[in-house]
């Protein structure tokens, strides 16, 4: 669907060579004074390209024919990976993906932080498929009245139908197929975004890795739902591994998937999973890392870099359901954690109690405001874990950390550009000791990074 700032250029082809990959995972082609970004084109590849569109001052092209193919190009498992927009790298050999991710972190630090750094090699998965434990798909109906679901085509609201997704937990497909079939027989209308009509907006699935538990969240536009109980009964019958079903009502015209109101339709309303030997309760609205295998390696690295002692007071900022703080609690004196989503804080408190972890306290607040108050009180903090969302932290929060002057900061980030910005800001007081990229999102251009920072004049 065309957007206002979306300029189509007439179809014409040109030859180009890929000289690198952009931070969004697209092949970069220089052509005279212009730069083009091409999905699914890899370094060293040459071919005939055609203009696609220009957006926000950038030009995008697509492959017409390749004349030189990269030795790293492979046959993808997924046949729609180039159109669905989720897996830009399924055609790129996994070792090459890992090299790219390390380079991406290095490049963002060079560009944004003006720092010349050598990140460690990116930690990868042994088997980089079927790893996602959280799946969310919008629903629509075809001309024959069949329901389908999929992903939004890049920068559009057009749903590309997905039958099998090779990066998702395999149980998700069974749930989605059942919803498609049952949705049709129960006359459930998918939501039509342009008209603001219909009922079923998204289906969200959360599957535990170490426990046989699966949550299904039916996101609906309205609270009323025809034959709700029978639909849920039929769904459980088809997928007996589902342990809880939640209805989430989102009446707003928005891209945000979940609404405020929730109703538990079956089971306890949450699932549990084990991470680093600790049991975690996860409810629909709480953040939980999407790749449970790599999350354990990420946390191990973060804890190792914190160099905790039994005397340390630890602060866990942006704590979600308390995962990092609770793993750290076994290695230090006390953990103070702050998180803004109240459901996640409720999960965190219960998680600590049920695991018998008594030296961690959770607060529901904005991380920056909380830290400013801690700095005003001159609270002692030895180590800070920072794990903000993609937009990173902010100067208020970072200034408060500098005032608190912990000996170490372990910054866990899913966005290298904001990590580089924040590390540069902290660098007046903190020395960057190491950068460890971790592949939490195989086949996509995204990368998680653990940055370890040490106070320049050690206060200890
Ligand atoms: N450390 C957790 C969560 C990391 S995701 C884990 O590893 O699972 C980032 C978290 O920051 C989310 O839970 C989000 O709800 C929370 N968050 C976002 N903005 C925030 C803010 N201003 N203050 C505190 N927490 C915030």
């Amino acid at each position: 669907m065309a957007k206002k700032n979306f300029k189509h250029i007439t179809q014409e082809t040109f030859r180009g060579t890929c000289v690198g990959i952009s931070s969004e995972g697209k092949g970069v082609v220089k052509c005279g004074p212009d730069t083009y970004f091409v999905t699914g084109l890899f370094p060293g590849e040459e071919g005939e390209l055609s203009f696609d569109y220009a957006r926000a001052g950038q030009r995008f092209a697509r492959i017409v024919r390749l004349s030189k193919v990269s030795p790293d190009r492979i046959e993808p498992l997924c046949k729609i990976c180039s159109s669905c927009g989720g897996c830009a790298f399924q055609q790129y050999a996994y070792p090459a993906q890992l090299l790219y991710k390390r380079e991406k972190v290095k490049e963002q630090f060079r560009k944004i932080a003006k720092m010349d750094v050598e990140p460690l090699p990116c930690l990868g998965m042994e088997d980089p498929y079927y790893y996602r434990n959280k799946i969310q798909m919008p629903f629509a109906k075809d001309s024959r009245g069949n329901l389908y679901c999929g992903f939004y085509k890049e920068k559009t609201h057009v749903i590309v139908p997905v039958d099998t997704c090779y990066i998702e937990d395999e149980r998700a497909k069974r749930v989605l197929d059942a919803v498609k079939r049952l949705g049709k027989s129960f006359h459930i209308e998918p939501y039509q975004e342009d008209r603001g009509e219909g009922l079923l907006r998204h289906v969200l699935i959360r599957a535990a890795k170490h426990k046989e538990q699966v949550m299904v969240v039916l996101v609906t536009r309205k609270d009323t739902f025809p034959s709700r109980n029978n639909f849920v009964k039929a769904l459980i019958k088809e997928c007996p591994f589902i342990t809880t079903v939640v209805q989430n009502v989102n009446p707003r015209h928005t891209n945000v998937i979940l609404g405020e109101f929730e109703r538990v339709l079956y089971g306890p309303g949450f699932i549990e999973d084990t991470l680093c030997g600790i049991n975690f309760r996860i409810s629909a609205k709480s953040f939980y890392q999407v790749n449970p295998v790599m999350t354990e390696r990420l946390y191990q690295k973060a804890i190792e870099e914190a160099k905790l002692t039994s005397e340390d007071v630890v602060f866990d900022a942006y704590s979600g359901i308390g995962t990092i703080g609770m793993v750290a609690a076994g290695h230090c004196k006390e953990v103070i954690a702050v998180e803004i989503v109240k459901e996640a804080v409720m999960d965190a408190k219960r998680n600590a109690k049920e695991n018998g972890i008594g030296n961690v306290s959770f607060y529901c607040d904005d991380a920056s405001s909380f830290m400013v108050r801690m700095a005003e009180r001159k609270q002692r903090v030895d180590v800070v874990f920072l794990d903000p969302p993609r937009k990173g932290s902010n100067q208020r929060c970072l200034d408060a950390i500098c005032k608190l002057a912990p000996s170490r900061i372990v910054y866990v980030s899913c966005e290298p550009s904001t990590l580089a910005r924040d590390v540069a800001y902290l660098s007046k007081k903190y020395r960057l000791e190491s950068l460890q990229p971790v592949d939490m999102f195989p086949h996509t251009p995204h990368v998680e990074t653990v940055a370890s920072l040490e106070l320049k004049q050690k206060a200890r």
Side-chain angles (χ1 to χ4, degrees):
M1 200 185 293
K3 282 199 172 180
K4 270 186 206 138
N5 55 351
F6 208 79
K7 192 176 134 209
H8 283 277
I9 303 172
T10 49
Q11 289 290 317
E12 61 179 277
T13 67
F14 63 100
R15 293 200 60 76
T17 303
C18 179
V19 293
I21 307 183
S22 72
S23 58
E24 278 81 40
K26 294 184 190 299
V28 180
V29 173
K30 305 263 185 204
C31 201
D34 298 323
T35 301
Y36 295 89
F37 298 97
V38 189
T39 301
L41 190 68
F42 305 117
E45 293 194 322
E46 285 176 18
E48 193 181 335
L49 309 171
S50 81
F51 293 111
D52 203 357
Y53 58 88
R55 189 173 187 273
Q58 293 190 324
R59 288 162 173 258
F60 297 85
R62 67 172 81 204
I63 303 169
V64 177
R65 204 169 295 109
L66 284 180
S67 50
K68 189 170 166 203
V69 172
S70 164
D72 289 320
R73 179 178 286 274
I74 56 166
E75 194 57 40
L77 275 186
C78 178
K79 299 298 169 227
I80 59 156
C81 64
S82 41
S83 56
C84 121
C87 293
F89 286 166
Q90 272 219 14
Q91 299 176 85
Y92 202 31
Y94 193 54
Q97 294 184 24
L98 296 177
L99 289 177
Y100 161 78
K101 292 187 186 193
R102 179 186 179 276
E103 268 313 295
K104 174 172 168 171
V105 174
K106 184 176 161 77
E107 179 63 10
Q108 294 295 314
F109 270 77
R110 190 186 63 73
K111 253 171 57 186
I112 293 165
K114 313 284 175 226
M115 288 165 78
D116 197 11
V117 293
E118 289 299 336
L120 291 160
C122 186
L123 294 178
M125 289 188 86
E126 264 172 42
D127 178 15
Y129 293 96
Y130 304 110
Y131 61 85
R132 275 191 76 99
N133 59 8
K134 179 183 169 190
I135 294 94
Q136 42 198 16
M137 289 212 188
F139 270 71
K141 196 163 79 171
D142 67 16
S143 54
R144 283 173 300 173
N146 293 321
L147 262 53
Y148 65 91
C149 61
F151 294 113
Y152 290 117
K153 193 174 163 68
E154 200 180 7
K155 316 270 188 222
T156 75
H157 287 223
V158 176
I159 300 173
V160 178
V162 173
D163 180 49
T164 306
C165 175
Y166 295 89
I167 63 169
E168 295 176 352
D169 186 291
E170 287 174 279
R171 288 166 288 185
K173 176 177 164 55
R174 289 179 58 192
V175 175
L176 294 167
D177 286 348
V179 174
K180 285 180 213 166
R181 267 195 314 275
L182 296 170
K184 188 178 181 190
S185 54
F186 279 78
H187 304 292
I188 290 174
E189 287 297 317
Y191 177 60
Q192 287 169 278
E193 202 180 6
D194 44 348
R195 296 190 184 174
E197 288 172 7
L199 178 71
L200 184 63
R201 296 178 68 128
H202 276 82
V203 172
L204 184 153
I205 299 157
R206 277 197 139 144
K209 168 88 186 155
H210 299 288
K211 298 202 176 214
E212 296 292 312
Q213 298 192 16
V214 172
M215 170 195 280
V216 176
V217 184
L218 304 167
V219 186
T220 58
R221 181 175 69 87
K222 294 179 290 188
D223 188 18
T224 48
F225 189 134
S227 321
R228 179 164 41 205
N229 292 344
N230 288 338
F231 178 81
V232 172
K233 260 191 212 154
L235 184 62
I236 309 281
K237 198 165 170 220
E238 289 217 12
C239 305
F241 54 84
I242 296 174
T243 49
T244 190
V245 180
V246 175
Q247 180 186 358
N248 175 286
V249 184
N250 186 357
R252 285 171 302 155
H253 191 79
T254 165
N255 288 344
V256 178
I257 294 179
L258 294 179
E260 274 296 305
F261 178 74
E262 261 180 24
R263 178 199 302 277
V264 178
L265 304 180
Y266 173 77
F270 57 85
I271 55 162
E272 289 177 298
D273 204 359
T274 316
L275 205 59
C276 302
I278 301 172
N279 204 28
F280 289 101
R281 157 197 288 229
I282 310 148
S283 49
K285 287 187 190 162
S286 300
F287 175 88
Y288 190 63
Q289 297 282 1
V290 298
N291 182 334
V293 173
M294 294 311 279
T295 301
E296 291 201 327
R297 297 188 66 189
L298 178 78
Y299 289 172
Q300 274 158 11
K301 181 70 191 171
I303 298 291
E304 191 185 305
E305 288 301 326
K307 301 191 176 123
L308 297 172
T309 73
S310 55
E311 292 308 306
D312 283 340
V313 176
V314 169
F315 187 77
D316 178 11
Y318 309 93
S319 56
I321 58 169
T323 43
I324 297 180
M326 284 170 58
V327 177
H331 305 267
C332 66
K333 184 172 168 217
E334 183 193 350
V335 179
I336 304 160
V338 67
E339 158 64 44
I340 207 160
V341 172
K342 69 174 189 303
E343 287 84 356
V345 176
M346 274 154 55
D347 283 347
K349 287 183 175 168
R350 195 174 295 258
N351 286 333
K353 202 168 162 211
E354 285 181 3
N355 286 282
I357 300 175
N359 59 340
V360 44
S361 29
F362 294 100
Y363 298 90
C364 185
D365 203 344
D366 165 59
S368 308
S369 309
F370 192 87
M371 294 198 94
V372 167
R373 286 200 306 278
M374 275 178 63
E376 281 165 4
R377 284 200 308 271
K378 297 197 168 50
Q379 178 137 4
R380 178 185 143 200
V381 175
D382 301 299
V383 176
V384 168
F385 287 99
L386 271 176
D387 185 7
R390 295 191 74 176
K391 68 173 192 239
S393 193
N394 54 53
Q395 295 193 355
R396 243 178 107 219
C397 183
L398 301 176
D399 285 340
I401 295 180
C402 288
K403 259 195 185 165
L404 288 166
S407 314
R408 306 187 67 78
I409 302 171
V410 179
Y411 192 139
V412 179
S413 158
C414 57
E415 178 49 60
S417 62
T418 53
L419 173 68
R421 180 199 67 200
D422 291 351
V423 167
Y425 191 76
L426 286 167
S427 66
K428 55 183 175 191
K429 266 196 115 164
Y430 285 86
R431 183 173 44 247
L432 178 62
E433 282 205 322
S434 74
L435 276 176
Q436 174 67 70
V438 179
D439 193 18
M440 294 285 270
F441 319 102
H443 308 297
T444 79
H446 301 294
V447 59
E448 192 88 12
T449 310
V450 181
S452 320
L453 298 117
E454 191 173 51
L455 189 63
K456 284 184 178 163
Q457 293 99 32
K458 264 195 146 185
R460 279 199 229 197

